[in-house]
Amino acid sequence: VAKLTFTAASPAAVALKVRYPGWASALVVTVNGRRQPVTAPAGSYVTVSGPWKTGDVVGIQAPMTLHVEPLPN
C-alpha cells in the first residue's frame, strides 16, 4: 500500500490524479480509510478530489502478482 499524507496551511481544493496501471487487475483507493469508487479503466488515471487538509491520507493499493511471460528465441 502506498500512502500520501497531506500537509496544508489551510484546506486546499486540489484534484489528485492517481495512475491506474494497465497491468493491474484492480485498484483500491482510500481517503482517510474510506474506500473510494474507481470507475476509470486500467491504463488511465483515477481522479480523487479534495478539499484536503493537514492529516488527510490517500491510500493506493494495486495487486502485485508474479507471472511468467514467454520470450521468443
Side-chain angles (χ1 to χ4, degrees):
V1 176
K3 291 186 180 181
L4 173 66
T5 303
F6 284 88
T7 303
S10 61
V14 175
L16 178 66
K17 301 283 189 178
V18 177
R19 179 78 176 140
Y20 187 165
W23 51 261
S25 58
L27 184 72
V28 176
V29 178
T30 59
V31 175
N32 297 328
R34 286 185 221 112
R35 194 171 180 153
Q36 302 298 302
V38 175
T39 57
S44 65
Y45 289 86
V46 175
T47 302
V48 186
S49 297
W52 305 105
K53 61 185 182 309
T54 296
D56 283 342
V57 178
V58 176
I60 303 152
Q61 183 176 6
M64 300 293 201
T65 58
L66 184 62
H67 63 276
V68 177
E69 289 282 331
L71 296 175
N73 288 335

